[in-house]
Amino acid sequence: VRQHREIHVVMGNEACDLDSTVSALALAYFLAQTSPAPKAAFVPVLNIPRADFALRTETTFLLRDRGIPAASLIFRDEIDLGGLHHAGLLSLTLVDHHVLPGADAALEEAVVEVLDHRPLERERGPPCQVTVEPVGSCATLVTERILQGPPGVLDRTTAALLHGTIVLDCINMSPAAGKVTPRDVACVSLLEERFPELPARDAVYQALYAAKFDITGLTTEQMLRKDLKVLSSDDAVVPISGIFEDLETFLRRPGLLQDLEAFCQSRGYAGLVAMTVSFNERHEPTRKIAVYSQQEPLRSTLCRALEEATTPSLLLQPLPSPSACVAAYAQGNAVAARKKVLPILRAAL
């Protein structure tokens, strides 16, 4: 700020999963390499506090595997985006999301570009450049962008990060999982062609999947924080947590109800939604949803929205629940991932 140095931040979403992290790192690196005599410093920012990074087990695994030390990363609590914007020095590129959460609304006017793969929830006019395409992984859009750039910019480390991310996001490129598209397949094939020494897809997928679903020793609070997106309206703030174990197992955790209430109380949440997913050996998903709130009207509103949703229909079947303040469901439409469910809940709120 003192030197009036412009900063161009590339930032993923607040769940800060592998796709958000690698998309931000790879695109910021590409922009820094290719921008003509850059006035700005290009900075990838991981959109979580550093203290939460250890919970992103698949990300810590892949970065460690590729020799990228955590000390070289910049986290959300280590850069004052509001201060930079206030000083007129911030440009913001969003990857893997295109709507900033309510707490970041002031940064909206700094957004100059968006790369995302979820359904478009709001239009952005020029001069903001928008690429929103229904691919399995945002890293696919970043890979396409890099491959369209000058030859020689893509190095082995970046290629390995993008390759691992797309393979994990697209569930080892399996059509049964309902995520992969021809563009994802094309990018993975191109990366493998250009870097034949990349490890085999199966090995990459199994290692990253095992790391992602490793919840050994995590408390309930840490599990809820591991993969978290937050929805807010004027009346209520509700987080949607991705949980990496079977829902029935999660609901049987000792002290669960006290833990859920403490989590909501400490963060000012009116309730929470937990979504679980697991994949069998044929890469077919099983999804379940739980809605928790001590406030009956809010719980009913969210449950009704999920039960009656038509775009898409979730085909919910009620499951036994440990308490009246938790509604649990098996999700018949197993290809409707969280990015499809978020707009339903946002509309309900």
Side-chain angles (χ1 to χ4, degrees):
V1 168
R2 280 196 300 273
Q3 296 169 355
H4 292 289
R5 180 80 195 270
E6 289 178 29
I7 302 281
H8 187 133
V9 165
V10 184
M11 185 169 74
N13 67 51
E14 60 188 329
C16 197
D17 62 359
L18 186 64
D19 194 22
S20 271
T21 300
V22 167
S23 294
L25 291 173
L27 185 60
Y29 179 64
F30 172 75
L31 292 172
Q33 299 281 85
T34 58
S35 295
K39 292 198 304 287
F42 290 92
V43 180
V45 172
L46 278 67
N47 200 358
I48 47 169
R50 184 176 286 272
D52 283 359
F53 187 51
L55 301 176
R56 307 303 192 272
T57 41
E58 71 279 24
T59 306
T60 56
F61 172 84
L62 185 60
L63 294 184
R64 195 167 53 237
D65 186 57
R66 288 290 147 185
I68 296 172
S72 69
L73 305 172
I74 295 164
F75 291 85
R76 185 60 199 269
D77 55 343
E78 297 169 340
I79 182 168
D80 179 7
L81 297 183
L84 287 165
H85 180 48
H86 191 67
L89 298 172
L90 181 68
S91 306
L92 192 53
T93 290
L94 303 181
V95 289
D96 201 25
H97 67 315
H98 64 270
V99 179
L100 284 166
D104 287 333
L107 301 175
E108 280 286 355
E109 56 200 29
V111 176
V112 294
E113 185 176 6
V114 165
L115 258 83
D116 193 15
H117 65 130
R118 65 208 67 240
L120 193 61
E121 287 184 52
R122 53 160 286 203
E123 296 293 334
R124 286 179 182 278
C128 183
Q129 202 181 324
V130 177
T131 307
V132 173
E133 304 280 353
V135 290
S137 177
C138 187
T140 293
L141 302 177
V142 175
T143 304
E144 289 178 346
R145 176 77 170 273
I146 294 173
L147 290 171
Q148 285 158 11
V153 173
L154 184 62
D155 60 27
R156 181 181 303 170
T157 302
T158 311
L161 294 176
L162 291 165
H163 178 262
T165 301
I166 300 169
V167 167
L168 180 67
D169 263 349
C170 295
I171 322 299
N172 205 11
M173 319 314 282
S174 163
K179 284 198 158 186
V180 69
T181 70
R183 286 168 68 173
D184 302 295
V185 175
C187 278
V188 165
S189 301
L190 272 164
L191 290 168
E192 290 168 347
E193 221 168 275
R194 199 169 286 192
F195 297 92
E197 67 279 17
L198 284 171
R201 289 178 196 183
D202 283 358
V204 170
Y205 177 72
Q206 279 156 11
L208 287 171
Y209 184 86
K212 181 172 182 170
F213 282 77
D214 181 8
I215 51 166
T216 319
L218 294 190
T219 64
T220 300
E221 190 248 3
Q222 288 172 320
M223 287 183 70
L224 293 168
R225 269 178 30 219
K226 180 170 155 67
D227 184 15
L228 185 70
K229 298 236 172 102
V230 179
L231 296 178
S232 50
S233 69
D234 294 342
D235 306 315
V237 182
V238 177
I240 322 298
S241 287
I243 301 286
F244 298 97
E245 73 177 352
D246 185 66
L247 185 63
E248 283 95 334
T249 312
F250 179 71
L251 293 177
R252 285 197 301 270
R253 286 177 81 94
L256 178 79
L257 292 170
Q258 295 91 309
D259 288 345
L260 294 179
E261 188 49 27
F263 183 74
C264 291
Q265 285 273 331
S266 67
R267 291 163 165 252
Y269 297 149
L272 68 86
V273 177
M275 297 188 66
T276 69
V277 62
S278 55
F279 296 90
N280 64 17
E281 58 288 346
R282 293 189 302 281
H283 304 305
E284 295 160 339
T286 298
R287 294 183 190 275
K288 295 173 185 173
I289 300 186
V291 178
Y292 165 81
S293 179
Q294 299 274 13
Q295 304 171 24
E296 198 282 327
L298 174 67
R299 197 172 62 247
S300 300
T301 298
L302 296 177
C303 288
R304 195 163 56 245
L306 293 169
E307 289 167 10
E308 297 173 2
T310 54
T311 53
S313 168
L314 302 179
L315 310 175
L316 299 183
Q317 302 287 327
L319 292 172
S321 134
S323 149
C325 53
V326 177
Y329 303 94
Q331 191 178 310
N333 176 1
V335 295
R338 178 168 62 180
K339 64 175 65 68
K340 306 264 175 65
V341 175
L342 277 172
I344 297 168
L345 293 168
R346 188 176 278 121
L349 278 183

